[in-house]
Amino acid sequence: MIVVKDLVRQFKSGDRTIKPVNGVSFELEKGSLASIVGKSGSGKSTLLSLLGALDKPTSGDVVVDGVSLAGLPDGKLTEYRRRDIGFVFQQFNLIPNLSAVDNVMLPMEFAGVRKAARLQRAKELLEQVQLDPEKHSRRTNRLSGGEQQRVAIARALANEPKLILADEPTGNLDEQTGEHIIELLSSLSRDHNTTILVVTHDRSLAQKTERCFRLQQGRLTEEVRTGSRR
Amino acid sequence: MSVLARSVGNAFRNKIRTAAVVAVLAVAIGLALAMLVANQAVGAKVQELNASVGTTLTVNPAGGQGFEGGGEPLTTAEAETAASVANVTAVVGTKALRLQTSTGSTTGTTQQVGPGGGFGPGGQQATVSTNLTAAVDAGTLGNRNNASGSTGTTTQPARTLPITATGIGAEVDSTGKALDITSGTGLGDYSASEAKALVGTSLAEKNNLTVGSTFTIQDKTFTVAGIFDAGTTFGNNAVYVTLPEAQTLAETPDELSTMIVTVNSMENVDSTKNAVQDALGTTKADVTQGQRNLETAVSSLDSVKNISLIAFIAALATAGIIILLIMVMLVRERRREIGVLKAIGARNRTIGLQFVLESLVLVALGSVVGAVIASLASGGIASALIGSNTTTTAATTTQRGGGLAGAMPNGAVPGGGVPGGGFPGAGGQGGPFGGASQLLTSVTASVSPGVLAAGIAAVFAVAIIGALVPALLTARIRPIEVLRGE
């Protein structure tokens, strides 16, 4: 279970103080699939960074399975990212001179998974995200945007994290592949009890999540839904 | 893909840049290694100088040196007195003889003949007959010397030069330098009277002698035990026998022509010289040292050693700065990559290790090329350093070495031009002095595995620090700061 308590993140920009996240509080049950929508610059990515321990909040706290991130040292935060978090970046953030399979193997290498095991799992994950097997060994800087997106999703799934944070995961994908990725995330949530939080502009994707939050001027509100989306 | 494989791959991401970096590193590392090799070579030469000639004293009879002067001969009792002085590690006595080729009318008796007597001045040296022929022709100098003391109008018969024979108490020449025996063996027990001899290469060649051949001195048959190379034409026209044998041949069983006193360290030479002089008495012995002049030579070598050490450190620091700047540049270029690695769970030490390995790959390549450069350049650099720093010293010492021979009056030396210190027993100063410039310029630099390993280890250590510092500094910041910054 993830509990977000009055989370604030502010920056100084000259004389001004900007608060992209301003007193955000919410709870997510384990295995839930949720989305955050909002305009560009509304603080969606910043909120995701705070939840993924890529950044530290100015105030407030994120509690994951009873553990407060605010009190953790850098080493523990790294361990948290390695073990519990799967991040899908909007810009993919793959290592350009490594192959697709090597990129997917990286988080497993950091987690100490044996080479043969991580190679097998990396290939399975790339197949799950429907990347052509011929492109598994290709450097990611020679893949298309959609292919890189799929590699990024596969990498996020590598260590079977508790929480997947995805920033526009279908933004670069065609409709059919996008549908497949949404189905993949839904099945992870449903079958593996993985909590998934997706930031998106795609209303159709947001409609398919159990809960949908709207972030506006740093404040989060939940849209009221009717019926189950599972 | 392992960290190592990833680092090797990263090192070759940009091949042109990698080639440029390796080239720059190779020059810096090559220079550092060359300086280290030069430093080691000069250090070894300093040790050699100290060990060979820098700590010896020469004792001559008071008022006499070789053919000159007078006074009373040294005795074995005085050698024992010198040996008992503090800081003296060894005393080697010598007894000099002159061997004159037998003309068939040899009396068979030892002659102590003076100037004008046909053999030149007697001094401390006994003249005895031999069946050997000198390897050096009289030539203009020998015949001019022979003419001295005559009326100047009498035509002198062509003459044969004498051969130097020295009785030695250890396997050293008359200046205390170890003999270079090129074939055969030494004389074994130098304190025993034995009919064995060491013969110089040119004398052996002139008389068709090899190891095992025989010849006679004063009608006594000697067997050639070994053939030595003194390095000079004059030095190779000589015979060495054991000290007791020479004393017996000269019929002066207790006498020494000179003593070579070895002191335990260069720092103690001055004080020990005075102590030996006091022990033997100023009326009995003259104690001389070559150390003071060699101190200048050693000091010059030491300065070269210091220069090469400073240059090594400077080149090493340059290599370190190059690595540091390159790694700072690489890390800055790949801040986003570091941020991504952190975001997906890489520890700081994993990131640091990756960049360290990457820099080590570059340094390893630079070291290989640098080692080749060093092996080609170190000899030349060492020679250049020695040449530019020892010209003055070498000139001074060479002049002093030649000065002893030049100081001898015409006709005093029975034979053609004596180089350096003249005959053995002439003070023993010519050898060390005359050889100083040769010793200085004979510094040879070679890349020993130990020196190479030490130099490369130092470069690698610098590379590790150079890579680790910027990588860890970047890895310590929050991932989002790097990712957002891009």
Side-chain angles (χ1 to χ4, degrees), chain A residues 59-209:
Chain A
S59 63
D61 198 2
V62 178
V63 180
V64 181
D65 290 343
V67 177
S68 165
L69 298 188
L72 292 180
D74 280 350
K76 289 287 180 187
L77 289 176
T78 301
E79 188 183 332
Y80 164 71
R81 288 193 297 268
R82 181 170 62 241
R83 195 185 58 199
D84 296 336
I85 299 290
F87 231 108
V88 181
F89 297 95
Q90 192 173 6
Q91 300 297 324
F92 323 133
N93 283 336
L94 300 171
I95 309 297
N97 66 320
L98 295 185
S99 68
V101 75
D102 283 335
N103 265 281
V104 179
M105 285 165 66
L106 268 181
M108 292 185 274
E109 180 191 321
F110 299 148
V113 179
R114 291 172 66 90
K115 188 176 180 181
R118 60 183 192 245
L119 180 62
Q120 186 183 355
R121 177 156 173 78
K123 286 180 175 175
E124 287 171 3
L125 287 169
L126 288 172
E127 284 172 15
Q128 278 185 37
V129 296
Q130 297 184 331
L131 184 74
D132 186 346
E134 286 182 2
K135 296 179 179 175
H136 286 191
S137 301
R138 189 173 294 183
R139 285 184 176 189
T140 52
N141 57 4
R142 293 182 182 174
L143 297 177
S144 69
E147 288 166 336
Q148 289 187 51
Q149 184 74 303
R150 278 175 270 177
V151 176
I153 292 166
R155 185 180 65 182
L157 305 178
N159 283 336
E160 299 183 36
K162 292 178 186 171
L163 173 63
I164 292 177
L165 301 168
D167 198 349
E168 300 286 4
T170 59
N172 292 283
L173 303 178
D174 58 70
E175 191 177 342
Q176 189 181 354
T177 310
E179 288 287 338
H180 174 76
I181 293 300
I182 291 164
E183 180 51 38
L184 176 66
L185 295 175
S186 297
S187 70
L188 283 169
S189 166
R190 187 175 55 238
D191 303 334
H192 294 88
N193 219 19
T194 306
T195 307
I196 296 171
L197 184 60
V198 179
V199 164
T200 183
H201 281 102
D202 186 350
R203 291 300 305 182
S204 65
L205 171 59
Q207 289 296 323
K208 289 171 184 166
T209 59

Side-chain angles (χ1 to χ4, degrees), chain A residues 9 11 49 53-56 74 78 81-82 89 91 93-98 102 105-107 109-110 115 118 155, chain B residues 1-3 6 9-10 13 336-337 339-348 350 354 476 478-481 483-484:
Chain A
R9 181 68 173 106
F11 302 101
S49 299
L54 298 181
D55 197 4
K56 286 188 174 178
D74 280 350
T78 301
R81 288 193 297 268
R82 181 170 62 241
F89 297 95
Q91 300 297 324
N93 283 336
L94 300 171
I95 309 297
N97 66 320
L98 295 185
D102 283 335
M105 285 165 66
L106 268 181
E109 180 191 321
F110 299 148
K115 188 176 180 181
R118 60 183 192 245
R155 185 180 65 182
Chain B
M1 181 177 272
S2 65
V3 177
R6 201 161 55 244
N10 284 337
R13 265 190 192 184
R336 186 179 189 86
E337 181 180 322
V340 172
L341 293 174
K342 288 268 291 180
I344 62 176
R347 297 176 184 88
N348 289 352
T350 305
Q354 179 178 319
R476 285 169 66 89
R478 293 178 204 165
I480 195 64
E481 290 178 29
L483 296 172
R484 189 194 296 126

Side-chain angles (χ1 to χ4, degrees), chain B residues 171 179-188 190 196-205 208-213 223-230 236 240:
Chain B
E171 201 164 289
L179 283 171
D180 178 16
I181 298 173
T182 55
S183 65
T185 61
L187 299 178
Y190 286 81
K196 293 195 293 187
L198 299 171
V199 181
T201 50
S202 56
L203 187 62
E205 192 176 336
N208 295 321
L209 296 177
T210 57
V211 175
S213 300
T223 304
V224 177
I227 294 173
F228 65 88
D229 182 9
N236 284 329
Y240 285 103

Side-chain angles (χ1 to χ4, degrees), chain B residues 145-400:
Chain B
N145 291 333
N146 185 42
S148 298
S150 69
T151 61
T153 55
T154 308
T155 303
Q156 297 290 328
R159 60 190 296 274
T160 305
L161 294 182
I163 299 162
T164 305
T166 309
I168 47 177
E171 201 164 289
V172 293
D173 66 12
S174 52
T175 65
K177 187 181 169 189
L179 283 171
D180 178 16
I181 298 173
T182 55
S183 65
T185 61
L187 299 178
D189 183 1
Y190 286 81
S191 62
S193 185
E194 284 195 76
K196 293 195 293 187
L198 299 171
V199 181
T201 50
S202 56
L203 187 62
E205 192 176 336
K206 177 78 175 180
N207 293 279
N208 295 321
L209 296 177
T210 57
V211 175
S213 300
T214 58
F215 64 94
T216 62
I217 301 176
Q218 202 78 331
D219 297 330
K220 183 172 181 178
T221 301
F222 283 79
T223 304
V224 177
I227 294 173
F228 65 88
D229 182 9
T232 61
T233 304
F234 180 80
N236 284 329
N237 183 39
V239 173
Y240 285 103
V241 296
T242 64
L243 179 61
E245 191 62 49
Q247 289 171 327
T248 303
L249 288 169
E251 298 175 1
T252 52
D254 196 39
E255 286 185 13
L256 299 173
S257 299
T258 186
M259 295 189 293
I260 310 296
V261 177
T262 305
V263 182
N264 58 3
S265 73
M266 186 176 274
E267 292 74 30
N268 292 327
V269 168
D270 272 337
S271 60
T272 308
K273 172 181 175 282
N274 294 333
V276 171
Q277 185 70 78
D278 290 345
L280 297 177
T282 52
T283 58
K284 287 285 185 183
D286 286 337
V287 183
T288 56
Q289 65 179 106
Q291 177 264 347
R292 189 175 299 283
N293 291 284
L294 281 164
E295 253 181 9
T296 313
V298 170
S299 168
S300 180
L301 274 181
D302 273 337
S303 73
V304 173
K305 193 180 172 198
N306 290 337
I307 289 168
S308 60
L309 183 64
I310 291 166
F312 164 68
I313 293 167
L316 195 65
T318 305
I321 290 169
I322 290 169
I323 295 163
L324 184 67
L325 293 177
I326 289 167
M327 293 317 295
V328 166
M329 183 180 72
L330 286 177
V331 167
R332 282 196 66 81
E333 265 183 16
R334 284 158 52 195
R335 278 164 59 89
R336 186 179 189 86
E337 181 180 322
I338 291 174
V340 172
L341 293 174
K342 288 268 291 180
I344 62 176
R347 297 176 184 88
N348 289 352
R349 65 169 181 264
T350 305
I351 294 167
L353 178 65
Q354 179 178 319
F355 279 90
V356 165
L357 290 174
E358 194 172 328
S359 76
L360 290 183
V361 170
L362 296 174
V363 172
L365 289 172
S367 297
V368 170
V369 181
V372 174
I373 292 172
S375 66
L376 295 175
S378 54
I381 289 173
S383 299
L385 283 171
I386 298 295
S388 62
N389 281 272
T390 61
T391 307
T392 310
T393 308
T396 307
T397 50
T398 304
Q399 190 180 5
R400 283 168 180 265

Side-chain angles (χ1 to χ4, degrees), chain B residues 10-46:
Chain B
N10 284 337
F12 292 99
R13 265 190 192 184
N14 185 332
K15 290 183 177 60
I16 294 173
R17 184 171 64 190
T18 300
V21 167
V22 167
V24 173
L25 278 176
V27 171
I29 292 169
L31 189 60
L33 289 176
M35 286 302 161
L36 186 61
V37 170
N39 180 270
Q40 297 291 314
V42 174
K45 182 53 71 179
V46 169

